[in-house]
Amino acid sequence: MSPRWVLPIALGFAATAAQAQPSADELLDLELTQLLELPVSVASRSEQRSADAAAAVFVIDQATLRRSGIQRLPDALRLVPGLHVGKWDGNKWAIASRNAMSRFTSTMLLLVDGRPAYTPLFGGVRWETFDLPIDEIERIEVVRGPGGPLWGANAVDGIISIVTRRSDATLGQRIAVGLGEGDIERFAEARTGHRLGDWTWRLGLRWMDSAPGLLPPVGQSAWTAPRAVGEEGRDEGRFRTAMLRFDSPEDRPGGALTAWLGHREGRFVDQRLVGGLPRDNLNWFDLDYAAGEWRRGLADDQALALRASLQRLDLGDATLDDTQRVFDLDLQHSGTFGRHAWTWGLGYNHYRSDTRTPLRSATPPCTGCFGAEPQIGTDAKRSVFAQTQSDLGRGWTLIAGAKVEDSRSMDWDTQPTVRLRWQPGFGGTFWGGWTRALRSSTRLERDGALFNVPANLAPAFGCRRYEAGTCVIGNPSQAPWQVEVAELGWRQQLSPALSLDATAFESRYTNLATTPGSRVRDRVHGVELVTQWLPSERWSVDGSLTWHRGRDRFIGQPGRIDAFFLPELSGQVHLQWSPADTIDVDLRWWRDADRATNSARIGVLPGEDRIDLRLAWRPSPGWETALSIGNANDPRAVEYLESLRVNTAVPRSITWSVAWSPP
């Protein structure tokens, strides 16, 4: 046995010195009706029962996260039906909803306690930069489909909202350690929470070293040279996180206050392809943020909330460095008037990017290396939104609203929605809606440039402007993408132990760019089915089946149609079982059909199955030891690839962890 396994095993069994006592599990103590009443706020900007949401919404609560044993946020999103998660290498993911997967899926919006975590440089989310201790998450709310009328541009195909736990819910201490192979080599977490007068605060620290992936066959990799299939790749990483939170009492005179401070840093390796050969590429990032929220109840059931955040993200690799500063301000006012509930608000977001190209001045200098011109770019986004919910009687509710935004790529553009909900009174909810949402242009779409380009090659590079070796390929007036979505949904409690949630949709996209070769995804449609079954107080079974179909078309190239980069059919089953009060079993199975890639040589990645398993034991109060096996059925699974980097396969992983929290 490897020496690094000795510590967690010894800690786990040493805990048996104390007398074991039963510990009821939060999730399996709930009735199905209570599960359907889990709160969700991202669908309407006000807290409501998930069963009442007129949207394709799914909530992962804290108990489910704890029982799953998942340690990395993107892996937690695998639990969401209809959300496609592909791991590129040891530290990078592609995540998509109703849209093609890519390293930067630019039509998904991530919110962390209301703070936008979208990267305007490329568009999308760099998932490795926004991981956080899973134990500190209260719930993850996911809307599959557009949310632009409430949350603004880039909430086109989905919204992921992470709500962390209040500090008064995590008083005391918690320590967790783990060692593993295949995914996480080692991790440690420490958390402490205390009272400070009427206030409470929490400090959480996390250290994690990730394991490298495995080299896949030539037929599943953009790297075409022979290699030792199954050997470890060059994509290990090291990450550190610190999070501090303060909470006032909710009934504080003058309004409740919450404040967050955080830091996360990472250093990890991948390999880029240069002339068809792999070269080591060190990636790094440092993220610092501060955020605050003020909430106050007013007369006549009205409420006022103000949220502000400031974020600095430094990131880079051998090809591109960037320093981003984002300030975000959001004001929301809500209330009721007779049979109408209303919400309106104002928003302001300022973004500054300082982009550098290290290879531009290298020896020898690069030719046609990519960057931004000008080096420093800014954007200011102003917005106003309003939404109403009107009780029409007989179980019918009309929901209508819009958000209007102004920025470099939008000229007070409107994102409207109209939705209708019917609850006839036998445990069912029927809903339908139409929405228009926008995806704003990215910094590199507007300011992208190639450096050290010889004058005789400028026409071949498609320069919009050329001067002294600098070839500007960006379009400062790049228009936003637009999508119009029609949805129908049915949510039904079929029995006290069984529920069904069905959604059908059709999305029609328009890329308003006019550049020949620009992609237009003209149509995507699909059906998403989700079921929850609680056969007994010790069993919980979730299942889903998703069918998505679409095609990419290209401006000026009517004969060119690329396959949709998502599996057409996918499904999952998630089983949670507590055979005893001190034992938990968590079993997850996924199945994806074949899907196209952006590599003409490879064409299609074959469909795959994935099975994850976790066994947890609480030998005494405050102690838990667990064994987690990821990708148990496949020693080497390729989930995603791109053409300019060396992807690695996801190996079978094993992690042994121990957590201690004084009762």
Side-chain angles (χ1 to χ4, degrees), residues 332-654:
Q332 177 175 316
H333 183 202
S334 59
T336 59
F337 178 74
R339 303 174 71 174
H340 309 277
W342 49 265
T343 303
W344 73 276
L346 303 172
Y348 178 78
N349 182 283
H350 187 271
Y351 165 72
R352 182 184 189 274
S353 168
D354 182 355
T355 305
R356 303 166 296 280
T357 306
L359 294 178
R360 185 178 182 181
S361 56
T363 305
C366 66
T367 299
C369 46
F370 185 62
E373 180 64 32
Q375 177 178 321
I376 296 177
T378 62
D379 195 6
K381 184 186 299 181
R382 297 159 290 274
S383 63
V384 57
F385 80 92
Q387 178 169 287
T388 63
Q389 295 191 49
S390 301
D391 183 357
L392 305 179
R394 299 182 180 273
W396 291 91
T397 302
L398 176 65
I399 303 167
K403 188 160 192 172
V404 183
E405 288 186 271
D406 179 65
S407 67
R408 280 188 62 183
S409 64
M410 294 185 292
D411 184 14
W412 294 109
D413 290 334
T414 303
Q415 301 176 75
T417 187
V418 178
R419 294 173 180 262
L420 192 63
R421 183 183 67 208
W422 180 43
Q423 295 177 302
F426 49 82
T429 298
F430 299 85
W431 62 273
W434 171 87
T435 304
R436 183 170 68 221
L438 300 174
R439 178 271 210 189
S440 60
S441 61
T442 69
R443 163 121 207 260
L444 293 180
E445 286 174 339
R446 297 189 301 265
D447 301 334
L450 301 174
F451 300 109
N452 301 333
V453 176
N456 62 321
L457 296 180
F461 281 94
C463 304
R464 289 180 175 271
R465 188 177 76 253
Y466 179 83
E467 182 179 353
T470 297
C471 168
V472 176
I473 59 175
N475 180 6
S477 58
Q478 172 75 50
W481 294 3
Q482 177 178 286
V483 62
E484 294 188 8
V485 185
E487 297 175 283
L488 289 174
W490 171 44
R491 192 176 294 115
Q492 181 69 50
Q493 186 172 337
L494 301 173
S495 75
L498 181 64
S499 72
L500 176 67
D501 192 334
T503 304
F505 73 93
E506 176 163 307
S507 302
R508 293 185 178 270
Y509 296 81
T510 304
N511 183 346
L512 300 182
T514 57
T515 305
S518 295
R519 178 183 296 159
V520 177
R521 185 163 299 104
D522 62 344
R523 183 184 179 193
V524 179
H525 52 272
V527 176
E528 301 158 346
L529 303 175
V530 183
T531 183
Q532 292 181 297
W533 181 38
L534 297 181
S536 76
E537 63 179 11
R538 295 191 178 275
W539 286 86
S540 172
V541 183
D542 295 346
S544 69
L545 186 65
T546 301
W547 175 73
H548 288 161
R549 172 174 286 184
R551 290 292 183 268
D552 290 340
R553 299 179 185 270
F554 295 80
I555 294 176
Q557 302 174 23
R560 182 180 174 191
I561 300 177
D562 277 10
F564 192 49
F565 301 151
L566 283 182
E568 186 170 298
L569 193 64
S570 60
Q572 65 168 284
V573 175
H574 183 195
L575 182 149
Q576 298 176 87
W577 175 42
S578 291
D581 290 326
T582 57
I583 298 175
D584 292 332
V585 179
D586 192 277
L587 177 66
R588 305 179 294 276
W589 169 81
W590 294 268
R591 171 64 182 173
D592 284 342
D594 298 352
R595 67 181 180 275
T597 72
N598 63 356
S599 169
R601 178 180 62 84
I602 296 173
V604 174
L605 282 178
E608 60 185 22
D609 293 270
R610 177 183 172 114
I611 296 175
D612 290 355
L613 173 67
R614 180 179 186 259
L615 305 174
W617 177 38
R618 294 178 293 277
S620 62
W623 286 89
E624 182 178 81
T625 183
L627 176 68
S628 300
I629 303 174
N631 204 32
N633 59 306
D634 191 343
R636 190 176 60 248
V638 176
E639 296 184 345
Y640 179 75
L641 64 87
E642 288 194 356
S643 57
L644 299 179
R645 304 275 174 159
V646 176
N647 65 298
T648 56
V650 180
R652 180 180 294 124
S653 64
I654 181 171

Side-chain angles (χ1 to χ4, degrees), residues 162-243:
I162 299 171
V163 181
T164 60
R165 304 170 72 182
R166 284 181 54 88
S167 55
D168 55 11
T170 55
L171 298 176
Q173 289 74 43
R174 181 180 184 273
I175 297 174
V177 296
L179 296 174
E181 294 178 345
D183 181 25
I184 297 175
E185 288 192 342
R186 61 188 67 86
F187 77 88
E189 295 178 1
R191 187 192 73 208
T192 184
H194 300 276
R195 295 191 179 277
L196 186 64
D198 290 337
W199 287 60
T200 56
W201 63 273
R202 175 182 68 233
L203 173 65
L205 304 174
R206 176 178 167 90
W207 300 262
M208 189 191 73
D209 293 345
S210 66
L214 304 178
L215 294 178
V218 173
Q220 296 182 341
S221 173
W223 178 27
T224 59
R227 82 290 304 277
V229 176
E231 283 195 356
E232 290 186 347
R234 298 275 296 160
D235 53 356
E236 61 277 3
R238 174 168 292 182
F239 305 88
R240 306 291 183 260
T241 304
M243 298 175 62

